[in-house]
Amino acid sequence: MKRVKDLEFFKNIREVREFEFGIFYYFDGLVISEVKEGVVFGWDMAEKAVRASREIFGADKPIAYISNRINKYYVLPKDWAKFYKNRGQLSFYAVVGQTQGSFASLVLERMFFKNSIQQFSDIEKAIAWSLTKIASAKELA
């Protein structure tokens, strides 16, 4: 699987935030995460990335989020309700992964994220989809 920093698209980077649990790449209206191997990802971690999004983008712009699942990690099921409740301006959500496990968790995530979650096996296709969605949302605003 491709890492964000190895893509041609990386030249459009606005900011990178490295947390103890993973790296979050911030582009205009787009956030891409690469969570570290073996992390048990909970709301306390997500909240840090959400705060960073608000600092970078402000609090009112629609955001597309891509989870680039290059590593195996776990999301705390008890925190899914918190993710949904605090999703803020997260308008579009994509998951990139090639393992059955990365897509298996998608079924549970869809229960909490009412907007559609798209799944991709290629990060560049996920980016293209996300940019199209962001552009459409801007036109409607």
Side-chain angles (χ1 to χ4, degrees):
M1 287 194 43
K2 299 175 191 171
R3 294 183 177 276
V4 174
K5 66 181 180 181
D6 297 330
L7 302 174
E8 176 68 19
F9 183 73
F10 186 74
K11 69 182 181 191
N12 300 309
I13 193 72
R14 188 163 168 184
E15 192 166 328
V16 176
R17 298 273 178 110
E18 190 163 349
F19 301 101
E20 64 277 5
F21 50 85
I23 302 173
F24 284 69
Y25 301 91
Y26 297 87
F27 301 88
D28 283 330
L30 173 62
V31 179
I32 305 175
S33 69
E34 292 179 348
V35 176
K36 292 180 180 179
E37 183 78 29
V39 165
V40 179
F41 193 74
W43 172 245
D44 58 327
M45 296 172 190
E47 190 174 29
K48 291 178 183 179
V50 169
R51 263 190 263 127
S53 293
R54 289 185 182 133
E55 289 172 18
I56 295 165
F57 302 125
D60 58 348
K61 293 185 180 180
I63 295 174
Y65 172 70
I66 300 173
S67 175
N68 191 26
R69 296 186 176 171
I70 57 173
N71 297 309
K72 290 182 183 177
Y73 65 92
Y74 310 92
V75 178
L76 286 173
K78 70 180 184 66
D79 284 1
W80 285 332
K82 292 177 188 172
F83 293 128
Y84 177 70
K85 179 182 172 194
N86 295 287
R87 73 192 183 288
Q89 69 244 56
L90 180 61
S91 301
F92 311 105
Y93 184 13
V95 172
V96 179
Q98 296 190 358
T99 67
Q100 189 170 2
S102 66
F103 292 126
S105 67
L106 204 54
V107 173
L108 294 169
E109 290 171 20
R110 282 185 170 144
M111 292 171 57
F112 292 92
F113 190 74
K114 301 303 180 196
N115 295 345
S116 65
I117 300 175
Q118 295 295 314
Q119 60 187 39
F120 297 89
S121 57
D122 181 270
I123 184 72
E124 291 169 307
K125 288 180 182 177
I127 291 169
W129 175 83
S130 298
L131 294 176
T132 300
K133 291 294 190 180
I134 292 167
S136 296
K138 286 180 180 178
E139 286 175 13
L140 295 174

